[in-house]
Amino acid sequence: MTQEPLIVLTGAAGKIGRRTRAFLKGRCRLRSTDMLELGEAGRGEEVALADLSRADDAARVVRDATAVVHLAGIPRDAPIDAIAGANMIATWNLFEAARDAGVRRVVLGSTNHVVGFYAPEERLDAETPPRADSLYGASKVFAESVARLFWDKHGLETVCLRIGSALERPTELRHLSTWVSYDDLNRLIWASLTAERTGFTVAYGISDNARAWWSNAGARHLGYQPEDRSADHEARLIAANRLSGLTERTLDAQFQGGRWAAEGYDRTRIERS
Ligand SMILES: NC(=O)c1ccc[n+]([C@@H]2O[C@H](COP(=O)([O-])OP(=O)(O)OC[C@H]3O[C@@H](n4cnc5c(N)ncnc54)[C@H](O)[C@@H]3O)[C@@H](O)[C@H]2O)c1
């Protein structure tokens, strides 16, 4: 008897992972994993504690899996040792283990911060070369490049999701371009899991944003249909911005990566010296 495909979700205790876990439960056979406590397994679900920076843990959690949704990692800047362990070594271990276990597809939680140094006037797509805005962004450039390597060399399908700003609702002007609702992100993850073929695909994780900087035209084959729109929040955000006296001319506003790109920026000083 053939069993229903098993999906492994890493980072299942995290901000996005908790919601994706709830979404996937009942839709597929699920193994939720994190290095943090995950509580009781639900119906049709297993839970597994694992530190993916350890290769043996990664091998244990992907055993028998058909596909992996890899959300584990540190979603912000942190000391290099921490970023290297959680975002680089863990991702490498995950891909090695997935290949070894015969996993068919990995859906990788990447980030818009791989392209954060582009200006808001520029329109990007999946072919745009990376311009990471932070160590965090650079660690995800590494992760995407590992994904590409495993497709090119081993035929392991991958969808790199350059997630924008995952929030219940947008809270700042930048989010009018970058917002993704949790419901839309789950729709995108599901589309990435269920598309007939993905090969190596890069897609931006955003809702239906009229002010989007990123095109998902190249990833239409995923069949992702966002249902939420940042424009529904525009009037509120513009009014709040006016009240706070902030303008769109701050350093943050000069880069798509916002404050991530502005943090530690001293290029003017270097150019003058
Ligand atoms: N939140 C966003 O708006 C956003 C935007 C872009 C990209 N992302 C990416 O999406 C993913 C999830 O983000 P999040 O906001 O839910 O982060 P989060 O920090 O809330 O969750 C990440 C989870 O990964 C786990 N983890 C970290 N290191 C691990 C390890 N070595 N082994 C096993 N588990 C480990 C943590 O325990 C945590 O539960 C991350 O990869 C992040 O880079 C998030």
Side-chain angles (χ1 to χ4, degrees):
M1 198 178 85
T2 53
Q3 274 211 307
E4 196 191 331
L6 173 68
I7 309 298
V8 170
L9 171 67
T10 79
K15 194 182 77 159
I16 296 173
R18 282 197 307 276
R19 284 139 169 130
T20 300
R21 179 184 178 191
F23 173 87
L24 290 176
K25 257 195 255 180
R27 280 185 169 79
C28 56
R29 207 153 62 90
L30 181 65
R31 182 180 297 143
S32 299
T33 177
D34 203 292
M35 61 196 291
L36 299 180
E37 188 50 49
L38 286 157
E40 294 280 299
R43 206 178 139 83
E45 184 194 30
E46 302 164 37
V47 295
L49 285 181
D51 177 350
L52 298 175
S53 64
R54 297 170 48 102
D56 50 349
D57 275 19
R60 175 169 51 82
V61 296
V62 303
R63 197 171 299 140
D64 302 324
T66 308
V68 178
V69 179
H70 181 44
L71 296 179
I74 298 178
R76 64 189 74 83
D77 261 353
I80 179 66
D81 288 355
I83 290 282
N87 292 6
M88 298 168 78
I89 295 173
T91 298
W92 179 262
N93 288 342
L94 192 280
F95 272 87
E96 277 277 60
R99 173 179 71 94
D100 202 44
V103 169
R104 184 166 162 229
R105 185 175 299 169
V106 176
V107 179
L108 173 73
S110 183
T111 176
N112 67 92
H113 295 289
V114 300
V115 288
F117 256 118
Y118 287 93
E121 295 73 33
E122 295 177 273
R123 294 292 166 268
L124 316 186
D125 61 24
E127 304 302 322
T128 307
R131 285 177 77 180
D133 59 21
S134 50
L135 171 60
Y136 165 62
S139 74
K140 293 289 185 169
V141 174
F142 171 83
E144 289 192 5
S145 143
V146 170
R148 178 85 224 194
L149 168 64
F150 275 72
W151 167 243
D152 285 341
K153 194 174 267 196
H154 308 297
L156 174 54
E157 288 198 311
T158 306
V159 184
C160 297
L161 298 180
R162 293 182 176 170
I163 302 170
S165 306
L167 295 161
E168 294 293 352
R169 53 192 213 143
T171 58
E172 56 186 73
L173 284 180
R174 177 174 173 269
H175 297 160
L176 294 173
S177 305
T178 63
W179 182 54
V180 62
S181 69
Y182 292 114
D183 288 345
D184 277 345
L185 184 51
N186 281 329
R187 285 181 193 104
L188 177 57
I189 289 171
W190 188 244
S192 304
L193 285 170
T194 55
E196 178 84 13
R197 264 184 66 79
T198 65
F200 173 81
T201 296
V202 172
Y204 290 88
I206 43 174
S207 285
D208 180 10
N209 300 339
R211 293 211 201 189
W213 297 316
W214 315 313
S215 162
N216 268 333
R220 282 226 177 88
H221 61 281
L222 295 178
Y224 167 54
Q225 301 277 7
E227 293 182 16
D228 296 313
R229 302 180 323 165
S230 63
D232 295 342
H233 304 268
E234 187 159 339
R236 172 179 61 82
L237 284 175
I238 288 176
N241 208 58
R242 225 178 268 126
L243 282 178
S244 71
L246 284 174
T247 73
E248 289 199 56
R249 281 190 290 278
T250 58
L251 185 59
D252 298 27
Q254 293 178 29
F255 308 109
Q256 293 190 3
R259 62 179 171 278
W260 299 70
E263 172 73 35
Y265 185 92
D266 59 2
R267 185 161 165 181
T268 313
R269 179 172 60 76
I270 290 165
E271 279 174 352
R272 278 197 194 124
S273 61

